[in-house]
Amino acid sequence: MSAVGRHSRILRTVVEPVPDPGQDDDLATALYREFGRPLLAFVITLTGGDRLWAEDVVQETLIRAWRNADKLDREPEMLRAWLHTVARRIVIDGWRSRRARPQEVEEPDANSVGVPDESDRTLAAMMLYEALQTLSAEHREAVLQTYVHGRTVNEAAETLGVPPGTVKSRIYHAVRALRRSLRERG
C-alpha cells in the first residue's frame, strides 16, 4: 500500500466523526500512532530540550486535535501542519506564562533548613596547620609569603632575601610535602 493510501485510511479514522463512543479511543490512538513521534521531536526543539514539557505539549495538541476532529482537513500534510501550529502556540503560551509569573518554590521544612556550619572549615584549617608544622622553616615561610599573604614570587624573594628561583623551588617542594602530609591524615 502506498504512503498516500495508508495516510488516507488512517486519516479517515482520525478525522471522520465516529458515532460509536467506543471508537474515541481508536481516534486518539490513531492520532498518536501517526503523528506522536515526529510531533514530539519537533516540540522537544521548541522547549529547549525539556522532554517532560514536550510530552505534555504533544498530549495537549493531540487532545485538541481529537476535540476538533470534525473540523480538521483530511489531507495528511494539512493535518501535520495543523498539529505543528497548535503545538508551537502551546509552547509559546508556556514560555509567556513562565515569564509572567515567578517560578513556584516549595517552602522549606523548618527541620531541613541548613544552618551554616563552620566545623568542616575549622577542621580543614587545623589539619592544614598541622601539615604546615611538618615543613622546614624555609619551606613554610615561602608558602606563607605566597599563598597566605598573596605576594608574588618576586615580592616573596625580596622579603625573604633570596633569589626568585629559590622561592619557586621552596614552594614546589613545600606543596608536594603538604600533599603527602594531608593524604596521610586523610
Side-chain angles (χ1 to χ4, degrees), residues 3 14 26 35 97 126 148:
V14 171
D26 294 339
F35 299 105
S97 69
M126 288 172 50
V148 176

PDB file of all heavy atoms in Angstrom, residues 3 14 26 35 97 126 148:
ATOM      1  N   ALA A   3       2.172   5.205   0.536  1.00  0.00           N
ATOM      2  CA  ALA A   3       2.117   6.083   1.708  1.00  0.00           C
ATOM      3  C   ALA A   3       0.858   6.935   1.700  1.00  0.00           C
ATOM      4  O   ALA A   3       0.237   7.167   2.736  1.00  0.00           O
ATOM      5  CB  ALA A   3       3.356   6.972   1.766  1.00  0.00           C
ATOM      6  N   VAL A  14      -8.969   9.016  11.761  1.00  0.00           N
ATOM      7  CA  VAL A  14      -8.641  10.121  12.646  1.00  0.00           C
ATOM      8  C   VAL A  14      -9.625  11.272  12.506  1.00  0.00           C
ATOM      9  O   VAL A  14     -10.054  11.851  13.484  1.00  0.00           O
ATOM     10  CB  VAL A  14      -7.201  10.615  12.350  1.00  0.00           C
ATOM     11  CG1 VAL A  14      -6.908  11.887  13.085  1.00  0.00           C
ATOM     12  CG2 VAL A  14      -6.202   9.544  12.713  1.00  0.00           C
ATOM     13  N   ASP A  26      -9.907   4.701  19.684  1.00  0.00           N
ATOM     14  CA  ASP A  26      -9.257   4.428  18.413  1.00  0.00           C
ATOM     15  C   ASP A  26      -8.790   5.722  17.763  1.00  0.00           C
ATOM     16  O   ASP A  26      -7.717   5.763  17.171  1.00  0.00           O
ATOM     17  CB  ASP A  26     -10.218   3.697  17.459  1.00  0.00           C
ATOM     18  CG  ASP A  26     -10.565   2.305  17.961  1.00  0.00           C
ATOM     19  OD1 ASP A  26      -9.789   1.761  18.778  1.00  0.00           O
ATOM     20  OD2 ASP A  26     -11.594   1.776  17.539  1.00  0.00           O
ATOM     21  N   PHE A  35       1.180  10.577  14.356  1.00  0.00           N
ATOM     22  CA  PHE A  35       1.834  11.886  14.459  1.00  0.00           C
ATOM     23  C   PHE A  35       2.610  12.100  15.761  1.00  0.00           C
ATOM     24  O   PHE A  35       3.288  13.117  15.903  1.00  0.00           O
ATOM     25  CB  PHE A  35       0.796  13.000  14.324  1.00  0.00           C
ATOM     26  CG  PHE A  35       0.073  12.975  13.011  1.00  0.00           C
ATOM     27  CD1 PHE A  35      -1.239  12.516  12.943  1.00  0.00           C
ATOM     28  CD2 PHE A  35       0.696  13.399  11.847  1.00  0.00           C
ATOM     29  CE1 PHE A  35      -1.904  12.487  11.728  1.00  0.00           C
ATOM     30  CE2 PHE A  35       0.027  13.369  10.640  1.00  0.00           C
ATOM     31  CZ  PHE A  35      -1.277  12.908  10.577  1.00  0.00           C
ATOM     32  N   SER A  97       3.820  32.371  29.924  1.00  0.00           N
ATOM     33  CA  SER A  97       3.329  32.240  31.302  1.00  0.00           C
ATOM     34  C   SER A  97       4.490  32.065  32.279  1.00  0.00           C
ATOM     35  O   SER A  97       4.415  32.527  33.412  1.00  0.00           O
ATOM     36  CB  SER A  97       2.342  31.077  31.425  1.00  0.00           C
ATOM     37  OG  SER A  97       2.995  29.844  31.267  1.00  0.00           O
ATOM     38  N   MET A 126      42.668  23.266  60.791  1.00  0.00           N
ATOM     39  CA  MET A 126      43.507  22.608  61.794  1.00  0.00           C
ATOM     40  C   MET A 126      44.434  21.581  61.146  1.00  0.00           C
ATOM     41  O   MET A 126      45.623  21.490  61.488  1.00  0.00           O
ATOM     42  CB  MET A 126      42.628  21.947  62.865  1.00  0.00           C
ATOM     43  CG  MET A 126      41.949  22.940  63.788  1.00  0.00           C
ATOM     44  SD  MET A 126      40.717  22.212  64.915  1.00  0.00           S
ATOM     45  CE  MET A 126      41.585  20.852  65.647  1.00  0.00           C
ATOM     46  N   VAL A 148      49.449  32.628  51.675  1.00  0.00           N
ATOM     47  CA  VAL A 148      48.685  33.272  52.742  1.00  0.00           C
ATOM     48  C   VAL A 148      48.676  34.790  52.584  1.00  0.00           C
ATOM     49  O   VAL A 148      47.632  35.433  52.649  1.00  0.00           O
ATOM     50  CB  VAL A 148      49.221  32.862  54.134  1.00  0.00           C
ATOM     51  CG1 VAL A 148      48.479  33.600  55.240  1.00  0.00           C
ATOM     52  CG2 VAL A 148      49.093  31.357  54.321  1.00  0.00           C
TER      53      VAL A 148
END
